Amino acid sequence: MIRQLVVRGASEALCRCQASLSTFHALSARTRGNDDIWERAYQQTVPRTMEEMTNLLKQEVVSPPNSHLLKVAIVGMPNCGKSTLVNKLMGWKVCSSSQKVHTTQVNARAVYNIGSTQMVFLDTPGLVSPQEVARHKLQRNLLTEPELSLQEADLLAVVHDISCHFTHSNLHSRLVRLLALHPTIPAVLVLNKVDLLKSKGNLLHITRILTEGVIGGRRFFHKTERSGEVKKEVLIRRALLQEKFSASQDQPSSQPHLYDNDSVNRTCESENGGNIVQTPEVGEGRDNLLNTAYDISHIKESDILAGRVHLTEHQVQTFVKDRRSWPLFDDVFMISAQDGTGVDDLRDFLLSCAQPQPWIFSPKVVTDQKPEEIALMTVREKFLEQFKEEIPYTLKFSIEYWELTETELLSIIVKVQCVKKGLVRVLLGNRGSIIASMAQKAEQDLRNIFRSEVKLRLNVVYDRFLKRKIANR
């Protein structure tokens, strides 16, 4: 009798378990069905032809229910790992990257969709000066591309190379200038290349210096004597300068040579980064020298940081002259874009910052770069990795042939023009071994980007007029 009860109880329990499993499988099937629907909607693709790209961009942008959007501008100095970070955040290599500076030449957008959230990463060229553009024969639009990206960004991710011993404790003045021009845009500090640090004990100390001890509006570090001494030196130098020019006003007019036009121009030239500013006559120049366009002594720093005062370009130069840090970072992340350390935490934070807005790109869009641009930047990346110094910067890359066959094979020929005849032999290598190796690596990268079969050929030619063409770019 007991045995029958046990068997009956076991049978009932088994039936209940089977019913529960059936219900679970039914729910799982429905869930998988919904996931499949969204997965099909998110089947992103990189167009292989301009026709495919046009059709993709023409598609109506349908936002999912409760859609969220965030546009993130990735800014930083050259070779700090911006493109590598974008590729790691995307999980898809859509931006060219190398160990050389100036790999990224133009702004590129990469679109990441998850759930009902769309994040648009704006990969920007490194911040450069006009002198660097001339030295490396770069395109002049590199001077303006990073600033253009800030006009549409909801958040700034400032990437800083923490591995360089000489600059890891200082933000470059060009970077601080961008932040000072847009103090109301939320910003986060991304300390990259932590994997290259032999000792990570100084990370908190460096963070304190770069953020002035303030993160997210809260002071996490106490002020140190070092920061006070720097500020004291600035005040002393400003007081001495004011005393010097005040004393000059009391000098007899028989000594005009102390502040003639040339000396005033030289002073303004040093303040303006090399651009000579024309000044009035000697008397007026003495009286108004402290009231030039560079003077910000009447403006409170708190008003500047709060965005209540919009500085002119000259005033910004004065503001960032002795500043190598920024106190308005909302958060700090220590990552390695190369091996992915800390990237997931950064991605989760960015997702949490997305605001309820309709999407701006179709769910299938990965990037707004043209297919030809992707191919050229990928080939250029391989030349930057292969050759040292200035050789890759003297070359010109262009599409010579582009066809998508009926068998879905993308056939590409890229023409590489050299400014010197003897350089052709260097690029080809022994029996074409170097150029063949670079073509093979670029071909594999293009396969991964386009998710399609690709056949790439590199055609190296000498162009005696290339130097003139580069100079007129």
Side-chain angles (χ1 to χ4, degrees):
M1 186 68 177
I2 296 175
R3 183 177 180 183
Q4 290 177 352
L5 291 174
V6 172
V7 172
R8 189 186 307 164
S11 300
E12 291 175 356
L14 181 61
C15 291
R16 285 197 300 270
C17 288
Q18 289 176 344
S20 299
L21 286 173
S22 300
T23 305
F24 172 77
H25 288 313
L27 290 173
S28 299
R30 286 199 297 270
T31 305
R32 284 197 304 271
N34 293 334
D35 290 344
D36 290 342
I37 292 173
W38 287 109
E39 189 174 345
R40 284 195 299 272
Y42 292 163
Q43 282 182 351
Q44 294 179 292
T45 179
V46 177
R48 296 165 295 180
T49 64
M50 284 303 300
E51 182 181 358
E52 287 184 357
M53 184 173 185
T54 302
N55 293 334
L56 184 61
L57 295 179
K58 278 184 177 179
Q59 290 182 4
E60 182 182 0
V61 180
V62 180
S63 302
N66 192 29
S67 62
H68 285 63
L69 174 69
L70 182 69
K71 293 171 287 185
V72 185
I74 313 291
V75 297
M77 299 306 294
N79 203 34
C80 67
K82 298 182 296 297
S83 298
T84 305
L85 175 58
V86 171
N87 292 333
K88 192 65 70 172
L89 288 168
M90 289 285 297
W92 190 330
K93 184 177 180 181
V94 293
C95 300
S96 58
S97 60
S98 74
Q99 296 181 352
K100 290 284 191 69
V101 296
H102 313 309
T103 304
T104 303
Q105 298 276 290
V106 295
N107 286 341
R109 293 171 183 82
V111 184
Y112 179 83
N113 301 323
I114 180 169
S116 59
T117 301
Q118 181 174 88
M119 289 197 297
V120 181
F121 300 110
L122 295 92
D123 185 25
T124 64
L127 302 175
V128 295
S129 65
Q131 292 78 15
E132 288 176 303
V133 170
R135 186 187 311 127
H136 294 287
K137 300 178 177 60
L138 303 172
Q139 297 180 12
R140 293 186 179 93
N141 62 345
L142 263 71
L143 295 170
T144 58
E145 290 287 313
E147 297 193 35
L148 291 175
S149 68
L150 267 64
Q151 296 179 5
E152 56 179 297
D154 301 320
L155 184 143
L156 304 181
V158 179
V159 183
H160 182 64
D161 184 357
I162 199 71
S163 66
C164 181
H165 176 72
F166 300 102
T167 60
H168 61 43
S169 298
N170 298 288
L171 294 178
H172 199 282
S173 58
R174 294 185 210 131
L175 201 52
V176 180
R177 171 186 166 274
L178 273 187
L179 293 169
L181 286 172
H182 305 274
T184 58
I185 301 180
V188 295
L189 178 61
V190 181
L191 303 179
N192 192 24
K193 304 185 183 181
V194 295
D195 57 311
L196 301 180
L197 292 179
K198 295 181 179 178
S199 174
K200 298 177 174 59
N202 290 331
L203 280 174
L204 287 179
H205 175 68
I206 295 172
T207 301
R208 178 189 59 78
I209 296 175
L210 296 177
T211 63
E212 301 181 15
V214 180
I215 302 175
R218 297 174 57 190
R219 181 167 294 281
F220 283 84
F221 305 95
H222 295 291
K223 292 183 178 179
T224 62
E225 294 181 0
R226 179 180 177 184
S227 61
E229 288 174 358
V230 173
K231 194 169 184 180
K232 182 178 179 182
E233 290 175 1
V234 174
L235 293 175
I236 292 175
R237 186 162 60 250
R238 186 179 298 173
L240 290 175
L241 183 65
Q242 187 171 1
E243 182 180 354
K244 176 180 177 181
F245 285 112
S246 297
S248 68
Q249 295 178 359
D250 299 330
Q251 294 290 336
S253 58
S254 60
Q255 297 179 345
H257 62 279
L258 291 177
Y259 291 96
D260 56 5
N261 285 334
D262 291 337
S263 63
V264 171
N265 281 339
R266 283 196 298 272
T267 303
C268 294
E269 179 181 358
S270 64
E271 293 288 329
N272 195 31
N275 298 323
I276 297 179
V277 180
Q278 296 297 329
T279 59
E281 295 296 326
V282 176
E284 293 181 356
R286 268 204 319 260
D287 296 336
N288 300 323
L289 196 55
L290 288 177
N291 297 321
T292 60
Y294 296 91
D295 182 29
I296 60 171
S297 59
H298 60 288
I299 303 175
K300 294 181 180 180
E301 181 177 302
S302 59
D303 290 337
I304 298 175
L305 297 178
R308 290 189 289 267
V309 176
H310 298 285
L311 300 180
T312 65
E313 184 63 42
H314 292 162
Q315 290 173 330
V316 168
Q317 291 181 23
T318 303
F319 180 71
V320 305
K321 183 177 179 181
D322 297 304
R323 184 182 290 272
R324 293 295 179 266
S325 56
W326 189 246
L328 298 184
F329 289 117
D330 290 336
D331 212 333
V332 178
F333 295 88
M334 303 174 187
I335 71 161
S336 169
Q338 189 66 38
D339 62 24
T341 302
V343 174
D344 290 341
D345 294 335
L346 175 59
R347 187 191 297 110
D348 292 342
F349 172 83
L350 296 176
L351 286 170
S352 68
C353 295
Q355 299 297 315
Q357 288 183 35
W359 289 7
I360 59 175
F361 284 102
S362 167
K364 294 187 178 181
V365 174
V366 179
T367 178
D368 66 343
Q369 300 175 88
K370 297 178 181 178
E372 291 85 352
E373 290 178 350
I374 294 175
L376 292 177
M377 289 297 102
T378 303
V379 171
R380 183 174 177 271
E381 168 191 323
K382 302 309 170 187
F383 277 82
L384 287 170
E385 292 176 348
Q386 179 69 36
F387 298 101
K388 298 180 179 179
E389 298 177 355
E390 302 295 324
I391 290 180
Y393 302 104
T394 63
L395 306 175
K396 182 181 179 182
F397 303 88
S398 58
I399 299 296
E400 196 169 31
Y401 180 80
W402 189 288
E403 183 185 11
L404 181 63
T405 65
E406 295 180 356
T407 59
E408 300 293 312
L409 172 66
L410 182 58
S411 182
I412 307 172
I413 299 178
V414 174
K415 182 165 67 173
V416 184
Q417 296 171 268
C418 305
V419 70
K420 294 181 181 179
K421 202 168 188 177
L423 192 57
V424 175
R425 189 176 302 172
V426 175
L427 298 179
L428 294 177
N430 185 23
R431 296 183 178 180
S433 58
I434 294 179
I435 199 71
S437 175
M438 288 190 294
Q440 185 177 6
K441 293 177 181 177
E443 185 178 89
Q444 184 58 52
D445 278 0
L446 291 175
R447 286 192 188 120
N448 296 335
I449 293 172
F450 292 117
R451 306 287 171 94
S452 174
E453 188 63 30
V454 176
K455 183 63 178 176
L456 174 66
R457 197 181 107 192
L458 302 180
N459 184 21
V460 182
V461 298
Y462 162 65
D463 185 354
R464 58 179 180 151
F465 300 109
L466 182 59
K467 184 180 292 186
R468 188 184 306 171
K469 294 175 184 177
I470 294 177
N472 294 330
R473 263 196 321 201

